[in-house]
Structures are given as structure tokens and as C-alpha cells.
Amino acid sequence: LGEVSDLQKALQLLNWDQSTMMPPGGARVRGAQFATLARVIHERFASDETGRLIDAAAAETASLPDDSNNASLVRVTRIDWDKARRVPVELRAEMAAAEAEGYVTWLSAKAANDVGAFRPVLERHLELKRRYIGCFPEAAEPWDALFDDFERGMTAAEVRVAFDRLKEGLRPLVKAIAANPEAVSDAVLRQQFPVEAQDRCARALVTPWGFSSEQWRLDPTHHPFASSLSPTDVRLTTRYNQSELGTGLRATMHEMGHGLYEAGVDPDLVRTPLCRGCSLALHESQSRLWENLVGASRPFWTHAGPILREHFPEQLGKVDDDTLHRAMNRMEPSLIRVEADEVTYSLHIIVRFELEQEIFNGGLTAADIPEAWNAKMREYLGIEVPEPAQGYMQDVHWATGGFGYFPTYALGNILSAQIWERLLGDVPTLPDQIAGGEFAPLREWLRQHLHRHGRKFTPKETIRLVTGTELDPEPYLRYLTQKVTELYGAPAS
Amino acid sequence: LGEVSDLQKALQLLNWDQSTMMPPGGARVRGAQFATLARVIHERFASDETGRLIDAAAAETASLPDDSNNASLVRVTRIDWDKARRVPVELRAEMAAAEAEGYVTWLSAKAANDVGAFRPVLERHLELKRRYIGCFPEAAEPWDALFDDFERGMTAAEVRVAFDRLKEGLRPLVKAIAANPEAVSDAVLRQQFPVEAQDRCARALVTPWGFSSEQWRLDPTHHPFASSLSPTDVRLTTRYNQSELGTGLRATMHEMGHGLYEAGVDPDLVRTPLCRGCSLALHESQSRLWENLVGASRPFWTHAGPILREHFPEQLGKVDDDTLHRAMNRMEPSLIRVEADEVTYSLHIIVRFELEQEIFNGGLTAADIPEAWNAKMREYLGIEVPEPAQGYMQDVHWATGGFGYFPTYALGNILSAQIWERLLGDVPTLPDQIAGGEFAPLREWLRQHLHRHGRKFTPKETIRLVTGTELDPEPYLRYLTQKVTELYGAPAS
């Protein structure tokens, strides 16, 4: 497992390098390097030998408590191993090829709004995904087999309950912000901000959260992500927009949340498959918690306001904390998911989730997707999609076979608020600490209740450990209702 | 072979990252990541399966010309494979462990000038090297088995002939520079030069040589090296000294020479074991050619002088090309190899070579090395070694088992001058081109006569291709004699 981990980290480094450091000429062989590492990892991990070693380790660890590191390692590894062996190598290769081809076709199809060129990409992915689903006949619904790769043990049925309630609760909030678009202005963030100063400012914001050059990096890229080569080597990436400050600040705080999760895993789990965040939804709960519950909160801007004014005396020297806080929280229904505000973001996800349900559990075909997409955007967000590039073609995910994945974002939003309510119960002075620039108690609470466990427990077990309860959208709706009320006025009931 | 190449490039990236980008906290698991990649590469390459594939490929390529890419691939791979299998896995593991331990002990022993602490490191390496030599009983002399890993097919006997002549020819030159230490001053280079400006200046110097951000990187590190992830993804590293300009310029030009070799390999050889420079000596011939034959020549400073004055108007605005050229060529017998000038550098190498001969072909023990070292430094360079840290402990190489390796540096010097004489015969206007900042004809000549071949031919075959003759120290001695005469006056005969 240590060897597999080492190879996976080498693959992660190839990926990080490609996104941050590689000169363009490196692209010609990088694809082959990725494919080889992935194949070698799969061969070594999914081998008969690994199975024998798991059996032997299970015998040795049988008397250990279930929540011990070693018993957990054997338990989780056996499930990983079983899943890895259920999918034929040829199908994996076909899927990898379709991802690469899909990406290239998507780039040109999106640029040309060419629905016809993109349809075969989707059709190919849907065919391959159905074969993949066929490898897991025990799934209650076909889509569950896809989702299980991201949130092991969770199902469409559970997501549906949460999302139906979320959709219902968000409807009046969307109306409230759409009715009053001028209530909040982000004009102060729309000035010229030199990238070097943005970088210094972003570092000044996340350093008290736990960023240090001893164990972290922060580099610019096109599509920000966080990657850890070990809990003491965490690589954040972000992007800066010279003429708008909010994007870079939000991206950096978001990735810092991911990074803190990776940095907080029990060091005893290093070089094992347990040494990373539990699931995508739980990971997103951390990025959204630090980006929004902390970074977009009024107390935080008591601390952050002076830092921004110090780094941008010309642009922001006379802008007060309140104005900055409001600017960071401007909301408006819009077309592009990655630019969406806190209220509308989850609705973008629900559109994708419901379409995937209709595809895999119903009869929706690739040809039906564009119109079905536009209808849902109209219904949930009240906006018309002017072209496919701003509609169903906007994300790279479906183009590269990423089905069963989107819900994790909205689940992360829901969980972030559940965790926050529990945190406030345990640490009532948290808002004052944040206003005073004191983040260690928050970070340590998260480490203690979530980060240190890594992948030892299932997502549902982990959700219970960190929230004390089950998945529940009510805290998130309470949080958003309060925020919308404060900034945009009380929603009509 | 493509897979092995991909894994090797991942290993190279781990190494490049460690030396340039990795936060210190990454060191804790990086060693394990290196070890795993090295083991996986060895297992895959040295397998029975690879042997069967080589046999099958040999049958398929039997009718191809020897110098075709495919016939060369099979021929070279068979030798690589045979060598890889001759050394037991356990011995390789012991050597790797001894290298890691040796490095740590060397750091503290060197800091404390602790001969006693360092002796067991050397003794362990010598024991392991003798076992390694035992795997290759066909070697004419024991040391040849070590040297073969760096210069396949070359022997101590050949090196001895070249080095004996070199030693004899260098003796009057060393006397000439030692007799006249004030003839050349490098005072203009010993000022404060901000590192950012040095970086811009170094890029301005190597860009006309072929550096471009499309296919190259240049990053600072402690011990400069060049690494290529493909011929279109070349990573140079360099180091800057805030209070001395020459070190950074020389290091950048030196690594650029290595990088041009890697960038010039036939693109058809990508993802094969032939896609890199032929040997360390030939690689060094390129780094030294660009660093010295080009970068330390008077014509080059007609081109480079204005670039330096532009980047450092305060420090160098009034310094003329002649003064810069002379400053870059200051010579003086000194203790530290990596700081040595062109005349004395090869003598540092000869000291190490002769000691290694006495160790592996004679009776010199680890305990004898310090005194034997000091005696040779006195004899060849006329200087006294004040402490081991400036003597036999100065380099990391022996501490990490690097025996049989040092001669490649001096062979590179010799070859660089042989290549240069041939070049001047083919391109008599070369000095004028260089003075005019025109480097493409030089680069293309080297690509055509050397770079494109990669590892297709043996070092001796490749030397013949690029020099038109055998290894011959006379051109290097002619070149140095002329340079010393111009700068320090005619040596006494």
C-alpha cells in the first residue's frame, strides 16, 4: 500500500506540475506519462497478491477495535480492492480514451456552440457508463454505481430527499435576490488589482489559518485545485483576475479549506490509502466552510478589512469593512455554475443531478439534454440560456465522463452549515475569535472532529462523527435565509 | 520501454520538484517515493518478459541497418537489460541504503572535519563497490566495471593515456597563472547584483541560444542541474550569488549546454531509452562547450557586454567588453573543484581519478585517502589543504558512492575542444557569428553531428561521429595554452 501511495503521489505531482509549472511543450508526452502511472498503479493494487495480503492482514488485525488505524486500513482497502477488480481493464482503457477524446472535442464544440459535434461524445460516455454500472449489479438504482465512486455507500434516494428540500427552501431566496438586484454592490472589487499584490494579499489572509511556506505552496493556475503530496507538503493553486479581486480571494480561501483537510490527517496514516479526505462531499464541506462560513462572514471582514486596505491602499484605502463584506456577498441568478453565489450555486447542481437521474434511471437521451437543461434553468433560476456554451456545455465534467459527481458540491454546502451549527454550539465565541484573527481553535476543532480520521470511516459514518447527526439541509437553509434577509431583505413566504 | 520511460520521467520530476519547488515538509516522504519508483522501474525493465520482447524485436529488426532507430533501440536495450540483471536486487538495495546513510554522515562529518566519522562511510562504499565489480568479471581492470555505468565501453587504460598527457600539458600552464596572480581581475563581478536582475540577465543571455518559455524552464536551486521530461520540456536550474555575478552566469550557460543536448535529440526517440545524451562525458562536452568555448570567449563578450551593461547599469554601465571577458576568465589554483577555473579544473579530476585507481586497482585504503589526497593537491596544484572539508570531503560524490564517475568531467573538457576545432573547420565564421549574437548555426551543427543521435551509439562511436577522430587531449591543451598566453603571458616551456 505504501508503494501504491508513492506511485499515486508521483501521478499527483505530474498533474500539479502540468497545471502550474510545465512549459507548453511538455504536453506532448504528459498524457502517456499519466496513462502509464495509472496503469501501473491499477496493476499493482488490483493484483491477486494484494488480495492475499489483505486476507493475511485481516487475520492479524481481527482482534483490533474497528476504529483503530490498522483495522480500518484493512477494512477500507478490501472494499477499494474489490471495486478495483470489478471493472475490466479493457473498459477502464476505453473510458480513459473517451475522456481524452471528449476533452478535445468539447473544447472545439463549446467554442463553436456545436451541439451536433458534442452529442457523440455524450453518447459514447453514456454507453460506457452503462457498461460500468453493469459491473455493480447490486446498486439500488443504476446511477448509484457511479455516485459510489465519490460518496461510497450513499445513494440517489438519499440525495433526492435532501435536494428536494433544498430546492423548495431556496426558491423564495432566489426570488428575493432576483427582485432586488441593486441591494448589494461589488463595484469596489471591480478595479485594477495587480496580480503580485493579490498574491501577497491572499497569502496574508490564509497564513493565520495555518498556511506556511514550510509545508505549503500557493501557485497560480487556470482551474484552481488543492493537491497534497503528504500532510506536510500541501500544494494550493488559485487564479487571479487583474480587474476583479473577489475571484482570487474566494478561490484561495476555498482551496485553503481543502488543504487544511489534507494537512490535518493523522500522520500515522501517511503512505496508506486512508491518508486523504474521506469523500468529495466532505472535502467540499471544508472548502466551502472556510470560503463562505468563515471567509464571507461579517466577523471575518473585521479581521480581513485592514489586510485588504493595507495591500491595496489606492483601490480600497477608504472602503470600510461593511462595504467589503457586502461586496463579497453579492448574489444574482446567473448562467455559469463556477461563478454562482451561495444561494444559486446549489440549484446549478440540482439541475445536473436531476438530468443525470433522467438519463440513467429514466429515458433521457444525449439528444434531449440541451432542451431539458434550458427548461430547468428557466424553472429554477428564472433565466434563459442564450447558447450551449453557457448552458449544458459549460463544464468540462460531462465532456470527460464525469457523471455521478456533481452532487458532491451541493452536499458539501449542506454539510458545511451542519458542521458550523455544531461548532457554534461547542465554541460559542467563534465569531469573536474570527473577528480577532484567531483561527487555531476552529482549525483544531475541525482536525479533531474530522480531518484526523482521513478515510478511515465511510462518508456516512464520518458525517455522523463531525455533525453529530445525519445529512440535513435545514442548517444550510437557515444560514442562507438569514444571510439573504440581512443583505436583500426578508424573502416573501 | 515507453512505460519504463514514463516512470523514469516521473522519478525525474520528483527529483526536480525536490530541488526547486517542494516545501521542506515534503522531505519526510520523498525518499520513500524515490525508492518505490526506482524499484518499480527496475522490476519492470529487468524482467524476463522484457528479455522475451527484446528477442522478438531483434528478430523483427534483423534486416534493418545498424544505425536505424529501431535496430539501435534493440541493440542498446539488450545491453541495458543485461547490465540491469547482472546486479542482485539485494546488492542494489544495500547500495541505495548506503548512499542515503553516507549523505547524512557526510553532512555532519564535513561540518566537523571528522575524518574518523567519515571513514566507515568510505569503507562501506568500497566494500559494496567491490561486490558490484564482482558482477562484471569480464572487466579488464576492476575500476572499469564502475566506469562502464557512465561511459559504456571505455576503460581506465584509455582514460590514463589521455589524463597523463593532460597532466603533463597543464603543468606549465598552472605555473604561468600561479606566477602572475594579479594579471587578471574579477573585481567588477564582485559587487552587489540583485537576484531578480541576475535572473533576467541570465535569460537574456541564453534566449538567443535557444531557450524559450514554450519549452524550457529556469529555476534557482542549491546545486544546479538540467533535467528533461521530454525534448520539448527542458528544466534548467541555476544558482545566483548576490555578491558575485560570475557564478550565476556560468552555471546558467553550463546547464543550458546540457539542456540543448536533451532538446536536440531526434523526436522519434521520445519515450525510449535512447532519448537522452549518450554519456556523461559527451553531456559535459556540451555544457563546457557553451559555458567556456562560447561563453568565456572574447567574441561572445562583444555580444554579451551590452546585455550585462543593460541589466546592471549602475554596477557595470562603464565596464567595457574586454574587462568583462577578462573577469570571466580569472584563473588561480584553488582548493574547491566546483569553483576551479578552466586550467586547474581537470587537475582536480585527475587527483580523484588517480586515487580511485589506487583504491580499486592498488592497495589504497579508506584510511589512506586523506593523506594521499593532500599529497596530490600539493604536487599538481601547488597548494596545501588546510582541512578535510576543503580536501577529500569537499564533494558529495564519494560520500554517496559515486566512484568511477569523476573522469567524465575532464573528458567533457577534452571533447569540448575537439568538437570546437572541428566546428571551426566546418564553420570558419563561427567567432564572427557569436560576436554578432547569431547562435543558430552553432546549435544546428551540434544537433546534426551529436544531439540528434541521443543514445543510439556507444560513447566511442559517438565521439567519432562528432569529432571525426578518437579521444585526444591536444586540442584542449592548444586552446588552454592560447588562452593562458593571452591573459597571463606565455608559459615557460
Side-chain angles (χ1 to χ4, degrees):
Chain A
L1 297 180
E3 286 189 347
V4 169
S5 165
D6 292 335
L7 292 164
Q8 277 168 337
K9 295 304 179 185
L11 183 57
Q12 268 179 246
L13 181 63
L14 282 166
N15 186 63
W16 174 83
D17 178 78
Q18 181 184 46
S19 305
T20 55
M21 299 292 158
M22 184 181 82
R28 297 183 202 169
V29 294
R30 190 53 59 96
Q33 293 162 353
F34 284 138
T36 293
L37 264 291
R39 189 166 51 245
V40 170
I41 291 165
H42 180 76
E43 277 176 23
R44 285 181 98 79
F45 180 64
S47 67
D48 295 344
E49 172 72 3
T50 302
R52 281 191 292 274
L53 292 168
I54 292 170
D55 287 342
E60 283 180 42
T61 56
S63 61
L64 296 176
D66 274 353
D67 64 352
S68 67
N69 285 353
N70 282 337
S72 300
L73 182 57
V74 174
R75 184 179 63 244
V76 174
T77 301
R78 190 191 291 284
I79 302 172
D80 289 347
W81 180 78
D82 179 60
K83 286 203 73 168
R85 287 168 67 93
R86 294 276 284 277
V87 181
V89 173
E90 305 75 44
L91 177 54
R92 286 194 190 276
E94 286 182 78
M95 288 167 63
E99 286 168 26
E101 287 161 25
Y103 179 70
V104 174
T105 307
W106 171 73
L107 284 178
S108 56
K110 182 181 172 186
N113 277 301
D114 189 341
V115 174
F118 193 50
R119 190 169 53 228
V121 169
L122 291 176
E123 283 168 348
R124 174 74 174 143
H125 283 312
L126 298 186
E127 179 215 329
L128 292 166
K129 291 296 168 190
R130 291 197 170 99
R131 284 167 56 195
Y132 186 86
I133 289 167
C135 303
F136 302 93
E138 72 277 24
E141 300 178 26
W143 183 86
D144 291 354
L146 305 176
F147 189 50
D148 195 75
D149 284 347
F150 308 105
E151 300 299 323
R152 184 168 296 171
M154 291 185 75
T155 63
E158 293 164 294
V159 175
R160 215 175 283 129
V161 170
F163 280 9
D164 282 349
R165 171 65 189 121
L166 196 58
K167 195 164 62 171
E168 175 197 24
L170 289 175
R171 199 179 297 259
L173 303 184
V174 173
K175 280 193 188 147
I177 63 171
N180 201 4
E182 306 302 325
V184 172
S185 164
D186 61 358
V188 295
L189 301 178
R190 299 188 177 280
Q191 306 180 62
Q192 290 301 308
F193 296 94
V195 163
E196 297 74 20
Q198 287 194 47
D199 184 66
R200 285 193 296 272
C201 181
R203 287 169 193 270
L205 289 181
V206 297
T207 294
W209 295 8
F211 182 97
S212 82
S213 59
E214 278 295 301
Q215 306 194 346
W216 299 69
R217 286 190 62 91
L218 174 64
D219 297 281
T221 191
H222 288 297
H223 301 286
F225 62 94
S227 184
S228 80
L229 297 182
S230 83
T232 51
D233 181 358
V234 183
R235 316 275 175 111
L236 309 183
T237 65
T238 191
R239 60 175 167 182
Y240 302 113
N241 176 348
Q242 171 100 21
S243 49
E244 200 276 315
L245 184 60
T247 304
L249 298 182
R250 265 189 292 268
T252 308
M253 294 192 291
H254 181 97
E255 300 307 334
M256 184 68 192
H258 284 304
L260 283 167
Y261 196 172
E262 295 290 311
V265 175
D266 180 353
D268 282 350
L269 300 177
V270 166
R271 294 188 76 227
T272 78
L274 307 187
C275 191
R276 58 174 202 265
C278 174
S279 73
L280 291 195
L282 281 153
H283 237 302
E284 198 71 8
S285 81
Q286 297 308 287
S287 54
R288 303 295 272 185
L289 185 149
W290 286 95
E291 175 191 357
N292 292 327
L293 282 298
V294 177
S297 73
R298 183 60 190 82
F300 180 70
W301 284 91
T302 297
H303 160 73
I307 296 173
L308 263 73
R309 288 189 290 275
E310 180 197 331
H311 284 83
F312 302 106
E314 263 182 55
Q315 300 93 326
L316 302 177
K318 291 175 179 158
V319 180
D320 65 19
D321 300 342
D322 246 348
T323 305
L324 288 170
H325 168 245
R326 292 176 67 84
M328 289 291 285
N329 281 289
R330 183 165 186 278
M331 301 176 188
E332 182 178 25
S334 63
L335 288 160
I336 305 299
R337 174 184 62 87
V338 297
E339 297 166 3
D341 56 71
E342 282 185 89
V343 165
T344 57
Y345 189 94
S346 297
L347 289 166
H348 287 266
I349 297 304
I350 291 172
V351 166
R352 289 155 177 74
F353 170 69
E354 292 182 350
L355 291 177
E356 291 189 1
Q357 296 300 297
E358 293 177 32
I359 291 167
F360 291 102
N361 299 349
L364 198 75
T365 68
D368 301 329
I369 292 176
E371 194 36 56
W373 176 287
N374 294 352
K376 282 198 188 289
M377 289 297 286
R378 198 178 300 127
E379 181 186 351
Y380 297 161
L381 288 162
I383 53 179
E384 290 297 324
V385 175
E387 56 172 8
Q390 296 186 70
Y392 80 109
M393 275 193 212
Q394 66 180 258
D395 290 316
V396 69
H397 305 72
W398 282 353
T400 55
F403 291 89
Y405 157 87
F406 276 115
T408 63
Y409 289 126
L411 295 175
N413 287 338
I414 291 171
L415 292 169
S416 71
Q418 289 186 256
I419 294 167
W420 197 253
E421 282 202 355
R422 186 163 179 224
L423 248 163
L424 284 175
D426 281 12
V427 191
T429 58
L430 192 57
D432 296 336
Q433 290 175 5
I434 290 173
E438 191 187 348
F439 300 96
L442 166 59
R443 185 178 67 239
E444 291 311 313
W445 190 99
L446 291 168
R447 185 196 297 263
Q448 184 62 27
H449 290 79
L450 175 63
H451 300 172
R452 67 187 174 96
H453 302 310
R455 265 183 92 224
K456 281 174 67 173
F457 308 109
T458 67
K460 285 205 272 196
E461 289 165 349
T462 307
I463 288 170
R464 178 161 277 284
L465 281 169
V466 64
T467 68
T469 175
E470 313 298 324
L471 181 70
D472 175 10
E474 299 307 332
Y476 192 54
L477 286 170
R478 279 195 287 274
Y479 157 74
L480 287 182
T481 302
Q482 187 185 340
K483 182 172 260 196
V484 169
T485 303
E486 286 172 12
L487 294 167
Y488 285 86
S493 56
Chain B
L1 297 180
E3 285 188 349
V4 169
S5 165
D6 293 334
L7 292 163
Q8 276 169 337
K9 295 304 177 185
L11 184 56
Q12 267 179 248
L13 181 63
L14 282 165
N15 187 64
W16 174 83
D17 178 78
Q18 182 184 45
S19 304
T20 56
M21 299 291 157
M22 185 182 82
R28 295 182 202 169
V29 294
R30 191 53 61 96
Q33 292 162 354
F34 284 137
T36 293
L37 264 291
R39 189 166 51 244
V40 170
I41 290 166
H42 181 76
E43 279 176 22
R44 285 182 97 79
F45 179 65
S47 66
D48 295 343
E49 171 71 4
T50 301
R52 280 191 293 274
L53 292 169
I54 291 171
D55 287 341
E60 284 179 42
T61 56
S63 62
L64 295 177
D66 273 354
D67 64 352
S68 68
N69 284 353
N70 282 338
S72 300
L73 183 58
V74 174
R75 184 178 63 244
V76 174
T77 301
R78 190 192 291 285
I79 302 172
D80 288 348
W81 180 78
D82 179 61
K83 286 204 75 169
R85 287 168 69 93
R86 295 275 284 276
V87 181
V89 173
E90 306 73 44
L91 177 53
R92 285 194 189 276
E94 284 182 79
M95 288 168 64
E99 286 168 27
E101 286 161 27
Y103 179 71
V104 174
T105 307
W106 171 73
L107 283 178
S108 56
K110 182 182 172 187
N113 278 300
D114 189 341
V115 174
F118 193 51
R119 190 168 54 228
V121 169
L122 291 176
E123 283 168 348
R124 174 73 174 144
H125 284 311
L126 299 186
E127 180 215 330
L128 291 167
K129 292 295 168 190
R130 291 197 169 99
R131 284 167 56 196
Y132 185 86
I133 289 166
C135 303
F136 302 93
E138 72 276 25
E141 300 178 27
W143 183 86
D144 291 353
L146 305 177
F147 189 49
D148 194 76
D149 285 347
F150 308 106
E151 301 298 325
R152 185 167 293 170
M154 291 185 75
T155 63
E158 293 164 296
V159 175
R160 214 176 284 128
V161 170
F163 280 10
D164 282 350
R165 171 66 189 118
L166 195 58
K167 195 165 62 172
E168 175 197 22
L170 289 175
R171 199 179 297 259
L173 303 184
V174 172
K175 278 192 189 146
I177 63 172
N180 202 3
E182 306 303 326
V184 172
S185 163
D186 61 358
V188 294
L189 302 178
R190 300 189 177 279
Q191 307 180 60
Q192 290 302 306
F193 297 94
V195 163
E196 296 74 20
Q198 287 194 46
D199 184 65
R200 284 193 296 272
C201 180
R203 287 168 194 271
L205 289 181
V206 296
T207 294
W209 295 8
F211 183 97
S212 82
S213 59
E214 279 295 301
Q215 307 194 346
W216 299 70
R217 286 191 62 91
L218 175 64
D219 298 281
T221 191
H222 288 297
H223 301 287
F225 63 94
S227 183
S228 80
L229 298 181
S230 83
T232 51
D233 181 357
V234 183
R235 316 277 176 110
L236 309 182
T237 64
T238 190
R239 60 174 168 181
Y240 302 114
N241 176 347
Q242 172 100 20
S243 49
E244 199 276 315
L245 184 60
T247 304
L249 297 183
R250 266 188 291 269
T252 307
M253 295 191 290
H254 181 97
E255 300 308 333
M256 184 68 192
H258 284 305
L260 283 168
Y261 195 172
E262 295 291 311
V265 175
D266 180 352
D268 282 350
L269 300 177
V270 166
R271 295 188 75 228
T272 78
L274 306 188
C275 191
R276 58 174 203 265
C278 174
S279 74
L280 291 194
L282 280 154
H283 237 303
E284 199 71 8
S285 81
Q286 298 307 288
S287 55
R288 303 296 271 186
L289 185 149
W290 286 95
E291 175 192 358
N292 291 328
L293 282 299
V294 177
S297 74
R298 183 59 190 82
F300 180 70
W301 285 91
T302 298
H303 159 73
I307 296 174
L308 262 74
R309 288 189 290 275
E310 180 198 331
H311 283 84
F312 302 106
E314 263 182 55
Q315 300 92 327
L316 302 176
K318 291 176 179 157
V319 180
D320 65 20
D321 301 341
D322 247 345
T323 305
L324 288 169
H325 169 246
R326 292 174 69 83
M328 288 292 284
N329 280 289
R330 184 166 187 278
M331 300 176 189
E332 182 178 28
S334 63
L335 289 160
I336 305 298
R337 174 185 61 88
V338 297
E339 297 166 4
D341 57 71
E342 283 185 89
V343 165
T344 56
Y345 189 96
S346 297
L347 290 165
H348 287 265
I349 297 305
I350 291 172
V351 166
R352 289 155 177 77
F353 170 71
E354 291 183 351
L355 291 176
E356 290 189 1
Q357 296 299 298
E358 293 177 32
I359 291 167
F360 290 102
N361 300 348
L364 198 76
T365 69
D368 301 329
I369 293 176
E371 194 38 56
W373 176 288
N374 295 352
K376 283 201 187 285
M377 288 297 286
R378 197 178 301 126
E379 182 186 351
Y380 298 161
L381 288 161
I383 52 180
E384 290 297 324
V385 176
E387 55 173 7
Q390 297 185 69
Y392 80 108
M393 274 192 212
Q394 66 181 256
D395 291 317
V396 69
H397 305 72
W398 282 353
T400 54
F403 291 88
Y405 156 88
F406 275 116
T408 64
Y409 290 125
L411 295 175
N413 287 338
I414 291 171
L415 291 170
S416 70
Q418 289 186 255
I419 295 168
W420 196 254
E421 283 202 354
R422 184 161 180 226
L423 249 163
L424 285 175
D426 281 9
V427 191
T429 58
L430 192 58
D432 295 337
Q433 291 175 5
I434 290 173
E438 190 187 349
F439 301 96
L442 166 58
R443 185 178 66 239
E444 292 311 312
W445 190 99
L446 291 168
R447 185 196 296 263
Q448 183 62 26
H449 290 79
L450 175 62
H451 300 172
R452 67 188 174 96
H453 302 310
R455 265 183 94 224
K456 281 173 69 174
F457 308 109
T458 67
K460 284 205 272 195
E461 288 164 349
T462 307
I463 288 169
R464 177 160 277 283
L465 280 171
V466 64
T467 67
T469 175
E470 313 298 323
L471 181 70
D472 175 10
E474 299 308 332
Y476 192 55
L477 286 170
R478 279 195 286 272
Y479 157 74
L480 286 181
T481 302
Q482 187 186 341
K483 182 172 259 194
V484 169
T485 303
E486 285 172 12
L487 294 168
Y488 285 86
S493 55

